[in-house]
């Protein structure tokens, strides 16, 4: 699957908890990311910020989207220490100093997670081992690696799906990030996490696949998407190379209002 342009999306969370950056590797006949060299440079340098607080209405291009009515769950990763306390007082089975414990349990740093969808690959492959990157896809990965290096960030780790197209993308990118630890993970493989709303006709996994893939991708979410540990002193930068439906699920799981009007609808197809 190819995208018309690179997708840039940052979701900020209150309390210095986490930031997600979605960078979708794109394929377009007129260029590597569907834009000219000058346009690509400008687009990479800016991100659209989505506030954690959900407004009543918000605009996407020429469309105004109404709120779903879902409230933001500040304790989305179940790591907020506040539930341990009632009216500022410590619940049973906690330490002697509730105010100090509550403050020490809050994150002091921000985890910056850069999501990168694998590059263009051979759609006609009969199995995963044949669905490797096309020449354009390899070039996309080269440019992505160069751009990540040019950002000058101190990356802590790059985690990637074990599917061939994601593994190849990550290995190419890693050439430009020497010293960054590479870790593979089966949980990040492509799949069908949940039935799409509205339904689609071109890709219809059976109920068993939704059940199995949904549990696996949710496990990946819980492993990788959470606020910084209270012991973390400095902001961190992590890269995850995976697939379209996995990224869609993570973003929609964090911020339900993104699902409105198909902004983050999934799955469109296996990607």
């Amino acid at each position: 699957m190819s995208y018309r342009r690179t997708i840039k999306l940052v979701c900020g969370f209150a309390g210095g908890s986490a930031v997600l950056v979605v960078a979708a590797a794109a394929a377009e006949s007129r260029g590597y990311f569907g834009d000219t060299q000058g346009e690509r440079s400008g687009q990479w340098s800016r991100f659209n910020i989505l506030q954690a607080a959900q407004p009543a209405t918000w605009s996407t291009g020429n469309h105004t989207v109404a709120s779903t009515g879902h409230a933001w769950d500040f304790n989305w990763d179940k790591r907020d220490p506040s539930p341990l306390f009632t009216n500022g007082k410590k619940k049973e089975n906690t330490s002697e100093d509730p105010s100090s414990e509550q403050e020490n349990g809050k994150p002091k740093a921000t985890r910056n997670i850069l999501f990168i969808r694998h590059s263009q690959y051979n759609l006609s492959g009969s199995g995963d081992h044949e669905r490797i990157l096309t020449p354009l896809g390899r070039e996309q990965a080269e440019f992505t690696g160069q751009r990540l290096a040019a950002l000058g960030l101190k990356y802590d780790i790059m985690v990637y799906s074990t599917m061939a197209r994601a593994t190849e993308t990550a290995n190419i990118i890693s050439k430009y990030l020497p010293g960054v630890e590479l870790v593979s993970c089966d949980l990040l493989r492509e799949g069908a996490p949940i039935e799409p709303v509205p339904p689609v006709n071109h890709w219809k996994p059976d109920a068993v696949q939704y059940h199995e893939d949904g549990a696996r991708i949710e496990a990946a979410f819980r492993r990788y998407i959470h606020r910084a540990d209270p012991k973390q002193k400095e902001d961190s930068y992590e890269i995850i190379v995976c697939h379209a439906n996995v990224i869609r699920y993570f973003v929609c799981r964090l911020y339900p209002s993104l699902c409105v009007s198909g902004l983050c609808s999934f799955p469109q197809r296996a990607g």
Side-chain angles (χ1 to χ4, degrees):
M1 186 197 332
S2 65
Y3 285 82
R4 192 164 293 278
R5 65 187 70 246
T6 302
I7 299 172
K8 283 94 46 177
L9 174 61
V10 178
C11 299
F13 300 103
S17 54
V19 174
L20 300 183
V21 179
V22 179
E28 177 75 9
S29 59
R30 65 177 282 207
Y32 307 112
F33 297 98
D35 300 289
T36 63
Q37 183 73 30
E39 289 172 333
R40 288 200 303 272
S41 176
Q43 290 171 344
W44 269 106
S45 65
R46 60 183 181 271
F47 295 107
N48 296 321
I49 306 300
L50 295 178
Q51 300 298 332
Q54 182 179 341
T57 60
W58 48 288
S59 297
T60 58
N62 297 323
H63 303 283
T64 299
V65 182
S67 168
T68 60
H70 296 295
W72 169 255
D73 179 8
F74 181 78
N75 195 22
W76 56 274
D77 62 353
K78 309 307 177 188
R79 296 191 177 209
D80 178 34
S82 300
L84 296 174
F85 303 87
T86 303
N87 297 324
K89 297 182 179 180
K90 182 168 52 69
K91 291 183 178 181
E92 295 181 4
N93 302 322
T94 57
S95 64
E96 294 296 326
D97 187 353
S99 61
S100 176
E101 182 175 346
Q102 186 172 8
E103 186 62 30
N104 290 337
K106 294 181 179 179
K108 309 299 189 298
T110 297
R111 295 180 64 229
N112 298 273
I113 305 173
L114 289 81
F115 281 135
I116 299 178
R117 180 185 180 261
H118 59 79
S119 303
Q120 186 191 67
Y121 69 102
N122 174 28
L123 287 169
S124 62
S126 61
D128 180 56
H129 67 287
E130 293 184 1
R131 293 171 184 164
I132 58 176
L133 300 187
T134 63
L136 176 58
R138 290 191 289 274
E139 204 157 10
Q140 289 174 340
E142 297 278 353
F143 274 94
T144 302
Q146 291 172 22
R147 181 55 183 162
L148 288 171
L151 291 175
L153 301 174
K154 183 181 178 182
Y155 303 106
D156 296 273
I157 193 172
M158 178 169 13
V159 186
Y160 60 92
S161 158
T162 52
M163 297 188 82
R165 52 192 181 272
T167 299
E168 190 175 359
T169 300
N171 285 333
I172 293 174
I173 291 173
S174 70
K175 297 189 303 180
Y176 300 92
L177 304 175
V180 176
E181 182 182 6
L182 271 174
V183 176
S184 63
C185 181
D186 283 332
L187 295 178
L188 294 169
R189 294 173 70 88
E190 182 61 300
I194 192 171
E195 293 187 50
V197 177
V200 295
N201 296 321
H202 55 276
W203 191 51
K204 293 185 177 180
D206 57 33
V208 172
Q209 184 175 354
Y210 282 125
H211 179 76
E212 294 178 348
D213 290 352
R216 171 176 57 78
I217 295 172
E218 171 65 17
F221 176 88
R222 297 190 184 194
R223 173 177 291 187
Y224 297 112
I225 314 303
H226 55 79
R227 70 192 74 194
D229 187 276
K231 296 179 181 179
Q232 182 175 324
K233 303 302 182 183
E234 298 180 356
D235 292 354
S236 59
Y237 295 87
E238 305 163 38
I239 301 170
I240 296 180
V241 182
C242 55
H243 307 268
N245 288 331
V246 178
I247 294 173
R248 289 189 191 101
Y249 180 82
F250 285 177
V251 174
C252 291
R253 172 76 163 73
L254 280 165
Y255 197 49
S257 65
L258 291 179
C259 296
V260 176
S261 297
L263 182 59
C264 279
S265 62
F266 54 82
Q268 294 181 4
R269 62 164 295 153

